[in-house]
Amino acid sequence: MTLEYAARALVGTLTPQANTTAEPELNMLWPAGFSMITARLTSAKPLLEDRLADYYQHLDDTLLQFGNAPVQVVAAACTGSSYLIGTGREDALFTALGRRLGVPVTNSALAVVAALHSLQAKRIGLVSPYPKNLTAHSLAYWASRGFEVAAVAKPEPIKEGFHPVYAMARPMIDTALLTLENTAGLDAIVLLGTGAPSLGTLLRHPRVAGAPVFSCNLALAWHSIELMAPEHSPSAASLLSMIGGQGWAEVFARRQI
C-alpha cells in the first residue's frame, strides 16, 4: 500500500508533550517520500525528571494514538528518558516494542549511539541544554554506552520561558558549541536535547575542533531512515552527508522568516 504523502515510509514519531522543536526539525529532515504522524508523550508529574521517567512507563498506551496507521518505523524524540531508565531497561524495552509491533523502534539516544558508532567515535564533546542534575544523568548514560565525554558545554540558562530547554534560541546553542573550539582530540560533538533548536547551528558549524557536529534530532531522522534498509549497516557517509545539509538545507532556508 502506498500513502499519498508517504510513498517511501510513514514514521510514527513520539514527542514530549510540550516539545515545540522536534516536529518542525524532523519534518525538515525527512527525505522525499517520507512523512510522519505524531503521538505525544504525556505525564502529569510536576518535576521534569519525574515526567521523563513517566513517559517511558506508558509507551504502550502512547502508541495506541497511532491506531491502525501503517507506520513502518517508530521514532521517540526524547533523549532525557533514556538517561533515567538506564541502558539495560532501555534496550529491553525498545527491543520488545519492535518485536511486538513488527517494525523497527528507536529513540533519539539510541540513534545518537548508532551515529557515534558509524563515525567510530569514542571521545566526544557534548552541548547540554539540560539542568545540572539531568546533565549528570546524561554523562553517566554516555559513559555506560562506552564513550568518553571529554568536554561539556552548557548554554546560558533560560531566565524567562515556559521550559528550560524548549524555550532556548539558536544563538545560545551556537555560543555554547563554539566554546569547544579549542578542545583537542574530539571524534564528534553532539547537540543534546530534541527540544533545543539545532538545524541552524549545524548549517553554520558542521565541524568544530575538527569534529563533525550533529544533534539528537538529526541522528533520529538519520537512524530512522537507515532502519528502513536493514540489510545495510548504518553508514557514516550518509550521516556526514546529512550533517552537511544534503536534502534539508534548502527546506530549512525556505522556512526561515
Side-chain angles (χ1 to χ4, degrees):
M1 180 182 67
T2 300
L3 296 175
E4 183 71 20
Y5 299 112
R8 291 176 61 194
L10 179 67
V11 182
T13 306
L14 311 179
T15 65
Q17 55 199 24
N19 188 319
T20 56
T21 302
E23 287 161 297
E25 291 202 339
L26 289 169
N27 273 318
M28 287 184 270
L29 289 165
W30 299 128
F34 275 67
S35 187
M36 74 179 192
I37 56 175
T38 305
R40 287 284 173 175
L41 298 160
T42 62
S43 172
K45 304 280 187 182
L47 299 179
L48 173 62
E49 289 185 22
D50 291 341
R51 287 197 302 275
L52 288 169
D54 207 26
Y55 291 157
Y56 278 8
Q57 293 281 356
H58 305 289
L59 280 179
D60 282 335
D61 291 337
T62 302
L63 290 166
L64 291 176
Q65 295 177 56
F66 293 140
N68 64 347
V71 298
Q72 290 148 280
V73 60
V74 173
C78 183
T79 322
S81 297
S82 297
Y83 308 150
L84 298 174
I85 69 172
T87 57
R89 187 172 160 213
E90 178 182 45
D91 290 343
L93 175 61
F94 279 80
T95 298
L97 283 172
R99 288 174 179 162
R100 182 171 68 77
L101 297 175
V103 299
V105 181
T106 189
N107 67 30
S108 45
L110 294 172
V112 168
V113 171
L116 291 171
H117 284 164
S118 78
L119 296 171
Q120 299 183 335
K122 293 293 185 182
R123 191 168 188 266
I124 64 174
L126 303 175
V127 176
S128 173
Y130 307 127
K132 182 178 179 180
N133 284 350
L134 193 57
T135 295
H137 287 296
S138 170
L139 296 178
Y141 176 88
W142 301 117
S144 72
R145 288 294 186 187
F147 304 107
E148 176 194 352
V149 179
V152 181
K154 287 187 63 64
E156 287 294 321
I158 290 286
K159 294 182 173 59
E160 294 182 5
F162 72 101
H163 191 281
V165 177
Y166 307 153
M168 285 191 171
R170 190 266 311 160
M172 302 170 69
I173 308 298
D174 285 0
T175 299
L177 172 63
L178 293 177
T179 65
L180 301 179
E181 282 184 308
N182 296 320
T183 305
L186 294 179
D187 298 320
I189 297 172
V190 186
L191 308 182
L192 297 179
T194 63
S198 66
L199 298 189
T201 297
L202 296 180
L203 287 178
R204 290 170 177 81
H205 310 289
R207 284 185 177 267
V208 168
V213 181
F214 65 89
S215 67
C216 292
N217 284 334
L218 187 138
L220 184 60
W222 168 80
H223 196 221
S224 299
I225 296 163
E226 293 287 303
L227 287 172
M228 298 301 297
E231 69 275 13
H232 301 297
S233 298
S235 163
S238 65
L239 176 61
L240 290 170
S241 176
M242 203 167 185
I243 288 171
Q246 182 171 330
W248 61 269
E250 291 184 4
V251 178
F252 177 84
R254 288 197 303 270
R255 295 195 180 183
Q256 301 314 292
I257 299 173

